[in-house]
């Protein structure tokens, strides 16, 4: 097991345990709020995993950052990593040609795209950030991205309410 995978399993498991009341609360909120209607509690999306193997990515049917909580299960089981390129559909143009090298690592819960402006970035810049990560990632970079993720999410949320 690599240090990156050990970090994913350890931190992912600890986060799942620590956040389990929030996972249950979010599931109940979605179910009671009507989000769990005909579509169920979870939104399913097929994405390209390591080496391009497709898997079904699960998120809660809510627009809050809590929607991502089920992704921790994918981290622990090895389909995703805590840090990596943005998950994309297997048919996305970035999963072909030059961009295919993004499939040499697991997609991430967060990554340079998340801490650098996410949806505010032009698509081409996000693509460059992902490919730079694929070519140059190391455990120290992952730790830096993880440390900067929560403040980045908080800034975006605060900006929306300002």
């Amino acid at each position: 097991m690599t240090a990156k995978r050990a970090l994913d399993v350890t931190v992912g498991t600890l986060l799942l345990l620590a956040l389990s009341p929030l996972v249950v609360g979010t599931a109940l909120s979605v179910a009671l709020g009507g989000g769990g209607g005909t579509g169920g509690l979870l939104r399913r999306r097929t994405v390209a995993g390591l080496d391009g193997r497709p898997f079904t990515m699960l998120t809660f049917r809510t627009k809050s950052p809590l929607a991502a909580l089920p992704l921790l299960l994918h981290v622990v089981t090895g389909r995703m990593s805590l840090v990596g390129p943005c998950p994309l559909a297997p048919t996305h143009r970035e999963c072909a040609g030059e961009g295919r090298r993004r499939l040499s690592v697991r997609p991430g819960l967060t990554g340079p795209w998340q801490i650098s402006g996410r949806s505010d970035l032009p698509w081409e810049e996000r693509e460059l950030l992902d490919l730079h990560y694929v070519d140059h990632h190391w455990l120290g970079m992952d730790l830096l991205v993880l440390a900067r993720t929560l403040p980045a999410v908080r800034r975006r949320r605060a900006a929306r309410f300002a």
Side-chain angles (χ1 to χ4, degrees), residues 94-112:
E94 280 188 51
C95 292
E98 175 70 15
R100 181 144 180 84
R101 71 180 195 267
R102 75 186 339 275
L103 302 175
S104 65
V105 298
R106 289 176 179 86
L109 228 65
T110 187

Side-chain angles (χ1 to χ4, degrees), residues 33-44:
T38 58
L41 292 174
L42 299 170
R43 183 173 286 119
R44 291 162 173 75

Side-chain angles (χ1 to χ4, degrees), residues 56-101:
T56 302
M57 187 173 80
L58 303 172
T59 56
F60 282 125
R61 289 187 180 274
T62 177
K63 293 186 179 180
S64 76
L66 301 177
L69 288 173
L71 297 179
L72 288 169
L73 291 170
H74 296 308
V75 171
V76 172
T77 60
R79 291 186 186 104
M80 292 181 75
S81 181
L82 290 169
V83 180
C86 183
L88 296 175
T91 56
H92 195 281
R93 68 174 177 81
E94 280 188 51
C95 292
E98 175 70 15
R100 181 144 180 84
R101 71 180 195 267

Side-chain angles (χ1 to χ4, degrees), residues 10-23:
T10 303
V11 173
T13 300
L14 290 173
L15 284 171
L16 270 174
L17 290 172
L19 299 173
S20 60
L22 195 54
V23 172

Side-chain angles (χ1 to χ4, degrees), residues 121-137:
L121 291 177
W123 188 255
E124 296 77 20
E125 192 171 334
R126 210 163 104 182
E127 182 177 10
L128 288 174
L129 286 169
D130 277 349
L131 293 178
H132 182 269
Y133 175 83
V134 168
D135 293 340
H136 303 287
H137 72 279

